[in-house]
Amino acid sequence: MPNQSTLHINRTLHQPKQTLGVMTVKLGSQVIYNCKTLELPWLQNKSKVSCIPTGTYQVRKRNSPKYGDHFHVLDVPGRDYILIHHGNYYTDILGCILPGQNFSDINGDGLRDVTNSKNTMKMLLSLLPDSFTLIIT
């Protein structure tokens, strides 16, 4: 069986308004790409205001008029349409995951945002297959 691609998110900083993390793309056991993630805080998996629970999920590529090509995280308990899409600020999120190249306070509100999100998304779309596993810790 060929090496499977997986996506890992390690949540590293939990704040009242947001959660920061590191995203790693692996091919088998080999790391092929790293970037940062921005999510909402953990608020008991409440729709549109919380990040999703830690765990293992299946993900598929998807396209929509709003986000273009992006990823859809499937079978999240009690939630639907959890996406991995471009964006920079926690205010861009309704429960989804934003990837970016790095963290920086872009808008001067005292909170770290993700930078270069559209290009980071393009890189993820080029590296990951149409369907893969996401592991969030």
Side-chain angles (χ1 to χ4, degrees):
M1 181 174 193
N3 284 340
Q4 293 284 9
S5 293
T6 56
L7 189 62
H8 297 252
I9 296 175
N10 179 25
R11 293 176 175 157
T12 57
L13 182 61
H14 299 271
Q15 298 176 313
K17 292 187 178 183
Q18 61 188 26
T19 300
L20 306 180
V22 176
M23 181 181 279
T24 304
V25 178
K26 290 185 177 182
L27 184 58
S29 61
Q30 180 183 0
V31 174
I32 59 173
Y33 186 70
N34 281 306
C35 61
K36 309 299 184 194
T37 59
L38 181 64
E39 300 176 79
L40 292 175
W42 174 249
L43 296 172
Q44 290 67 50
N45 197 34
K46 291 179 186 169
S47 184
K48 299 185 180 180
V49 297
S50 176
C51 60
I52 63 173
T54 58
T56 301
Y57 302 94
Q58 289 306 124
V59 179
R60 287 205 185 105
K61 285 185 179 174
R62 182 174 181 271
N63 183 282
S64 73
K66 183 173 183 176
Y67 298 115
D69 292 328
H70 60 279
F71 300 106
H72 183 191
V73 182
L74 304 173
D75 301 322
V76 177
R79 307 279 292 275
D80 58 6
Y81 289 101
I82 301 300
L83 308 177
I84 301 171
H85 64 80
H86 66 82
N88 299 102
Y89 315 107
Y90 80 92
T91 55
D92 292 333
I93 313 170
L94 292 174
C96 297
I97 301 164
L98 304 182
Q101 183 177 22
N102 217 326
F103 294 121
S104 181
D105 183 4
I106 299 170
N107 59 357
D109 66 356
L111 297 169
R112 289 187 274 178
D113 312 302
V114 287
T115 63
N116 206 19
S117 186
K118 284 186 180 180
N119 285 335
T120 303
M121 208 47 229
K122 285 179 188 175
M123 178 62 79
L124 292 170
L125 287 160
S126 74
L127 293 173
L128 290 161
D130 290 345
S131 182
F132 58 91
T133 300
L134 167 65
I135 301 167
I136 301 175
T137 57

